[in-house]
Amino acid sequence: MNEGEMLLIKVPASTANLGPGFDSIGLALNLYLTLEVVQSDCWEVIPLTDELKEFPSDESNFIIKTAIEVAKSFHTILPPCQIKVNSNIPLARGLGSSASAIVAGIELADQVGNLQLTKQQKFAIASKMEGHPDNVGASIFGGLVVGCQLGEEVDAEIIHSVDLEVLAVIPAEELLTKSSRGVLPDTLSFAEAVSAGAVSNLLVAALLTGNRKLAGKMMKKDKYHQPYRKELVPHLELMEEHACELGAYGVALSGAGPTVLCFVEPGKMNTLIDGLAPKLPDMRFLPLEIDKKGSTCSGVLATEVK
C-alpha cells in the first residue's frame, strides 16, 4: 500500500517547563509518534518498535481509547481501523510521550470520524485530558507554546520565531510523572509565588528577544519544581555545574524528567557532547531541533488490503 492510500498521522515530541515555566511552557521537538491508519473489520494496533509492544493491541490501547472517547463526546461512532504505530520518542523520560499519544488519539478521532475540529478545539480537549497545556500545546501547534489553563478555559500563544539548538541527555531509567510530582510542595508562600512568577516571566521575555544568557540564567533559577526534583535526578546538578563551561547557555529538567535539556550555543554541540560524555557515561546524548509544524495528517483513509 502506498503512503497516499492510507491516513498518516504524525505528532511531535515535546519538552515542558524549560525550568520556571511550570505547567505552562512547552516546546515541540523533532522526535515523532506516527500512525498509519486503514479501515478494518476490528480495531488492531501493530507496533513497529519493540518499546511499543508492551501496550495493548486492541481497542483498550490508550490511543484508540482516546479516539473513541473524543468521538463519543461529539456523538460519533468510529469505524474500526488497523493502526501501525511507530515512535522514536523515549517513553517516561520527560519528552511528552503521553501527550503525543493523547494528541494522536484526538487526530485519529477527528480524521476517522470527520469531526472537522479546529486546532484550538483539539488543544482544549487535549489540555483537559492531560491536565495542563504545555506538552499537548507544543505537539499540536509546534514551536514554543505559552499556555494558561484556568478551569474549563485554556488559552495559548504560539511562537515560531524562536530558534534553539537543543541537546537532550537521556538516562536509561524511566521516571514516571506521578513519582516526580510526588516530591513537590503542596503550597508556596505569597512571596515565593511572586518571585517564581517573575523568573518565569523573564524567561519568556529573554527567549523572545534572543537574550540567550539571560534565558539560561532564569532556567537555573526556577523555584517551582527543579529544587525538589533534584533528589530524583542527580545528574541535573552536575550538568548545571559543567554544561555552561562547555557551550550550553541553559540547562533544565525536561518536563518531570529524568531527561535534562541543554540549550546550546551555535556551533558548540559537539564540544558539549564530548565534554559531558565522560562525566555521564551511561547517558544517551541526542541533538534535537524545534518542530514548527505540530501534529499533521495526510493521505486518505483506505480499506485494509487483505
Side-chain angles (χ1 to χ4, degrees):
M1 181 178 293
N2 296 322
E3 185 176 305
E5 296 173 340
M6 66 184 174
L7 173 64
L8 183 67
I9 297 171
K10 190 175 181 182
V11 183
S14 59
T15 184
N17 304 331
L18 307 188
F22 188 68
D23 278 3
S24 62
I25 297 179
L27 187 70
L29 300 170
N30 65 332
L31 299 170
Y32 297 95
L33 170 65
T34 305
L35 277 57
E36 299 175 5
V37 187
V38 295
Q39 281 196 15
S40 184
D41 296 331
C42 61
W43 286 106
E44 181 187 13
V45 174
I46 300 175
L48 299 182
T49 66
D50 288 341
E51 200 172 22
L52 297 173
K53 290 179 180 177
E54 65 182 78
F55 299 108
S57 60
D58 57 12
E59 59 265 32
S60 65
N61 183 279
F62 179 71
I63 294 174
I64 297 176
K65 282 176 64 177
T66 300
I68 292 172
E69 180 183 335
V70 170
K72 186 178 179 181
S73 70
F74 288 92
H75 311 290
T76 299
I77 297 176
L78 301 179
C81 296
Q82 181 196 82
I83 307 169
K84 293 181 180 178
V85 182
N86 199 355
S87 178
N88 59 359
I89 305 173
L91 298 177
R93 298 299 195 285
L95 289 168
S97 58
S98 63
S100 66
I102 289 172
V103 173
I106 294 170
E107 295 286 12
L108 181 64
D110 184 48
Q111 294 293 316
V112 176
N114 194 28
L115 302 180
Q116 298 184 355
L117 301 176
T118 65
K119 287 241 180 192
Q120 180 59 38
Q121 286 175 305
K122 295 171 187 175
F123 177 48
I125 295 166
S127 297
K128 185 176 181 180
M129 287 183 165
E130 177 81 337
H132 39 90
D134 42 11
N135 289 103
V136 294
S139 285
I140 290 170
F141 295 110
L144 178 71
V145 174
V146 183
C148 176
Q149 187 170 352
L150 298 173
E152 295 296 312
E153 291 188 12
V154 57
D155 298 286
E157 280 291 337
I158 297 90
I159 301 109
H160 288 137
S161 58
V162 175
D163 286 307
L164 301 168
E165 290 187 45
V166 180
L167 175 66
V169 181
I170 308 171
E173 316 78 49
E174 295 182 353
L175 177 59
L176 298 178
T177 300
K178 183 178 179 181
S179 301
S180 194
R181 284 189 177 264
V183 300
L184 301 182
D186 294 327
T187 60
L188 292 177
S189 71
F190 183 78
E192 288 172 326
V194 170
S195 176
V199 172
S200 182
N201 293 343
L202 191 50
L203 169 68
V204 174
L207 289 172
L208 294 181
T209 59
N211 189 336
R212 294 195 293 263
K213 184 177 180 181
L214 183 58
K217 182 179 180 180
M218 292 303 104
M219 289 167 74
K220 190 174 181 179
K221 288 186 176 294
D222 162 59
K223 300 177 184 296
Y224 288 122
H225 70 114
Q226 291 184 153
Y228 309 100
R229 286 172 165 166
K230 282 183 177 179
E231 64 184 76
L232 301 178
V233 190
H235 55 281
L236 173 59
E237 195 159 7
L238 183 148
M239 289 178 63
E240 284 181 335
E241 181 180 348
H242 295 288
C244 291
E245 303 168 358
L246 298 166
Y249 60 87
V251 174
L253 198 60
S254 183
T259 294
V260 175
L261 287 190
C262 298
F263 287 180
V264 187
E265 294 281 2
K268 296 290 183 69
M269 182 68 74
N270 290 337
T271 301
L272 178 60
I273 294 173
D274 291 344
L276 287 177
K279 303 178 188 301
L280 298 165
D282 298 325
M283 301 287 175
R284 178 184 174 196
F285 295 87
L286 191 59
L288 296 172
E289 298 175 0
I290 300 175
D291 173 279
K292 296 189 177 182
K293 290 183 178 180
S295 56
T296 58
C297 301
S298 59
V300 294
L301 189 62
T303 303
E304 180 187 2
V305 177
K306 299 294 186 182

